[in-house]
Amino acid sequence: MTVSIVDDKSVRHILIDRPERMNAVDKDTLHKVSDAVQSAGEDPAVRVIVLSGSGRAFCAGGDLDVEDPLSVENTASTSDAASRCIIAITRVSRPVVAAVRGPAVGVGVSLALAADLTVVRSDAFFSMPFTSIGLMPDGGATALVAASAGRAISMRMSLLGERLSAQEAERAGLVAAVYEQDVFESELEKLTTRLSGISLDSIIETKRAINDASLRELEDAFARERDGQMRLTTRDDFRSAILAFTAKRSRPQSATNARSGNVDR
């Protein structure tokens, strides 16, 4: 099970359920999230969708531990799966809340920011360390971060791989709200309850209008990112990074270190 679904009255919780991998995603997991989001949008009993992760992370990025991480075809299909997932979240006819508990890394940033409201636990952070392994942001991140927080923050996170704490993300306008750990769950419930009581028709029209105005570059961003990522996959910088990752994984190490080696894109 890589995606779990839990219904709480009119709220559907969709969880990336790979806690042993800090919820790193492969293309199959991304497609399952897309399917779950689309299904929720077609269910008349669902008024609100909450996207989150199991365990101590929201999403640790793309999973490098796949059959052929150096394959251009694998890069393309994973990029397509990520794009499909972001489109599903932004277009579904329900409000989507991303509940970010712990790290949102790589494509995890895109999943969080694609939501209509992103609420963050105070111990979480956002990071896009793509350039550290010779890649570029994908999953629409080049449009989503810039639309949420502006060009300067987007460049800092994308070029330098700078990590933003929950509090820095809130100050930058990247997220809707940050809550302390002891009140996060209660505040999330208050938010979903409030959304459940708002006219769904008005939410649908408002969501469409705001996304059409602020995410006009999203479709083009998917194409640019896909092309760039495919080129970068063939370059020595990325191949060297993957070989180093593979060598590190093959060495004996603690369970904690083995898990942390999964945070990438």
Side-chain angles (χ1 to χ4, degrees):
M1 180 77 68
T2 59
V3 174
S4 296
I5 297 172
V6 178
D7 285 332
D8 181 9
K9 299 177 183 176
S10 62
V11 180
R12 176 155 298 175
H13 293 262
I14 300 173
L15 294 87
I16 303 170
D17 197 4
R18 305 183 78 201
E20 75 286 354
R21 307 291 293 170
M22 290 182 67
N23 300 321
V25 291
D26 54 18
K27 58 188 173 185
D28 291 335
T29 303
L30 288 165
H31 281 305
K32 287 180 180 178
V33 173
S34 300
D35 291 342
V37 169
Q38 291 174 343
S39 177
E42 296 165 358
D43 189 335
V46 175
R47 297 296 298 265
V48 181
I49 299 169
V50 175
L51 178 64
S52 62
S54 299
R56 61 194 182 97
F58 176 75
C59 173
D63 196 346
L64 287 180
D65 192 13
V66 293
E67 184 174 348
D68 188 2
L70 294 175
S71 164
V72 173
E73 291 75 16
N74 180 70
T75 295
S77 60
T78 301
S79 180
D80 290 343
S83 299
R84 180 192 172 215
C85 198
I86 301 306
I87 290 171
I89 294 168
T90 57
R91 292 185 181 175
V92 68
S93 59
R94 299 293 186 275
V96 180
V97 178
V100 181
R101 308 174 183 88
V105 178
V107 73
V109 174
S110 297
L111 293 172
L113 298 187
D116 305 307
L117 293 168
T118 306
V119 295
V120 185
R121 204 170 63 185
S122 58
D123 61 332
F125 65 83
F126 295 83
S127 176
M128 299 197 301
F130 291 92
T131 56
S132 68
I133 58 169
L135 292 178
M136 65 176 290
D138 57 13
T142 56
L144 290 164
V145 178
S148 300
R151 182 172 181 269
I153 293 294
S154 183
M155 287 295 188
R156 281 175 51 192
M157 294 184 69
S158 300
L159 291 181
L160 303 176
E162 285 193 6
R163 174 185 295 190
L164 261 63
S165 68
Q167 296 75 19
E168 289 170 328
E170 184 180 35
R171 288 195 294 270
L174 196 68
V175 302
V178 173
Y179 299 117
E180 295 299 325
Q181 297 181 53
D182 59 341
V183 299
F184 181 84
E185 301 304 329
S186 61
E187 293 295 334
L188 176 61
E189 184 176 6
K190 288 179 187 176
L191 176 60
T192 56
T193 299
R194 182 177 178 183
L195 286 169
S196 296
I198 299 173
S199 162
L200 185 56
D201 287 339
S202 67
I203 284 178
I204 292 170
E205 295 299 335
T206 302
K207 172 175 176 172
R208 181 184 297 120
I210 292 175
N211 283 344
D212 284 350
S214 61
L215 297 178
R216 287 176 293 179
E217 283 293 314
L218 188 58
E219 294 283 351
D220 289 340
F222 290 141
R224 288 190 292 264
E225 292 168 355
R226 186 184 195 274
D227 290 345
Q229 211 73 298
M230 289 177 67
R231 286 193 297 271
L232 291 169
T233 300
T234 67
R235 305 290 170 80
D236 289 342
D237 287 342
F238 175 66
R239 293 179 173 271
S240 296
I242 290 298
L243 292 174
F245 170 80
T246 303
K248 179 181 178 182
R249 186 184 58 192
S250 65
R251 292 197 300 268
Q253 52 187 329
S254 69
T256 299
N257 286 338
R259 287 193 298 270
S260 67
N262 196 48
V263 177
D264 63 297
R265 65 189 228 201

